[in-house]
Amino acid sequence: MSFSGEVKEELSGYLPAARHCQIAELAAIFGMCGQIQREKSGLWVRIHTENIAVARKYFTLLQKTFNIKADMCVRRNAYLKKSRTYIIVITNQDEVQRFLEALKIEDETGNLTENKKITDQRILQSSCCRRAFIRGAFLASGSISDPEKFYHLEIVCTSQEKAEQMRQIINSFPVEAKIVRRKKYHVVYIKEGEQIGEMLRIMEASMAVMNLENIRIVKEMRNSINRQVNCETANIHKTVSAAIEQINDIKYIREYVGFDNLPENLREIALARLEKPEATLKELGDSLTPPVGKSGVNHRLRKLKMIADKSREKKEEDL
């Protein structure tokens, strides 16, 4: 099972104790994948989902919140044998009316309210209800990538208004969600690992939070080790390049200037570098008698470079 599937499986088994939170979660699921259908017998309320976890949670919430035993049917895709669509329908008119009134979809006169957003704002007054709402929305229309690969959590909405409401609800917590247009959909997304962890905490997916944090710790340690290795490799490359340049300067001096024309301290460091081409500045300094510090060795090598460069310039002028 994918990480996203594991998260949804955990969320589907979590049932909020308060009735108003149950209604908020139902409102989110219905707002994302539900519809009201007019039939001869009256209004029917139904949802369509391909996720068994969503169907199970919606069915359970209907029973616990309203004592409604809805009808459920499963349809198989003729072309994709493994693909199934779960349809849950409420047909009893008394139950439909109770459902619509509780979710603020029907007003006091019995008329359906026109709301382009996912749900009525009155359902989201308290923080716990907003948590339940986010949980229901993620269950119905959300997904999360495998954190081993990259961090990405999203909730797909069918309109700009729904996406804006979803973003505002998420941003009422310490999380910064953004919206992007993807074909005919509007996607509310989060890409930062720490904020995705906070989203899982908001939805009360405690097991998923622990799994994500374990993965984040391992990835951060791996990245830290890689940075150290890269840094050390760069330092080694820099040291080797500098040593090659120093040796080339010293060989040039030996051929065109002569070591006998060098001061004793420069001649000493030149011979030491030729003898130990792979040595660090500290190792070169320790090999001298008396020993010389890194700054002293570096100063002498710079002097040799200046002599070599000056000799090259003079040779070019003579030509």
Side-chain angles (χ1 to χ4, degrees), residues 41-46 70-71 89-96:
S41 59
L43 297 178
W44 287 12
V45 171
R46 68 169 64 201
D71 298 322
V89 186
I90 308 172
T91 59
N92 181 283
Q93 292 306 290
D94 290 337
E95 293 176 345
V96 168

Side-chain angles (χ1 to χ4, degrees), residues 120-270:
D120 192 289
Q121 199 65 30
R122 288 174 292 177
I123 291 177
L124 307 171
Q125 294 298 316
S126 60
S127 173
C128 59
C129 290
R130 291 195 296 274
R131 288 175 182 271
F133 185 85
I134 294 171
R135 181 167 56 247
F138 178 81
L139 264 173
S141 191
S143 64
I144 183 171
S145 65
D146 182 354
E148 290 277 8
K149 298 176 181 177
F150 57 93
Y151 299 122
H152 182 86
L153 182 149
E154 68 179 35
I155 298 175
V156 180
C157 301
T158 55
S159 69
Q160 178 71 30
E161 291 82 3
K162 288 185 177 183
E164 283 292 346
Q165 185 185 32
M166 194 73 245
R167 185 183 65 82
Q168 290 172 9
I169 295 167
I170 293 173
N171 289 355
S172 68
F173 296 95
V175 177
E176 185 179 356
K178 298 179 181 179
I179 299 174
V180 66
R181 180 77 179 267
R182 187 186 297 160
K183 295 183 179 179
K184 63 179 181 179
Y185 298 104
H186 295 78
V187 181
V188 183
Y189 71 93
I190 301 165
K191 279 190 172 293
E192 207 275 318
E194 186 175 346
Q195 295 213 337
I196 290 175
E198 183 60 31
M199 270 287 286
L200 293 175
R201 277 186 281 272
I202 290 168
M203 294 187 292
E204 298 178 269
S206 55
M207 289 299 298
V209 171
M210 287 192 291
N211 292 337
L212 175 65
E213 291 304 321
N214 287 337
I215 292 170
R216 286 186 63 211
I217 290 169
V218 172
K219 286 180 71 173
E220 287 175 7
M221 288 179 62
R222 188 184 301 134
N223 291 338
S224 177
I225 292 170
N226 287 339
R227 283 193 297 270
Q228 289 179 358
V229 170
N230 291 338
C231 183
E232 290 175 4
T233 302
N235 288 338
I236 291 171
H237 179 74
K238 185 178 178 181
T239 301
V240 170
S241 298
I244 291 172
E245 188 176 344
Q246 293 159 7
I247 290 170
N248 288 337
D249 288 339
I250 292 169
K251 286 181 177 179
Y252 183 89
I253 291 171
R254 183 176 61 185
E255 183 173 353
Y256 294 101
V257 179
F259 284 171
D260 292 340
N261 295 319
L262 293 177
E264 184 179 351
N265 64 336
L266 297 185
R267 183 169 61 252
E268 183 183 25
I269 195 64

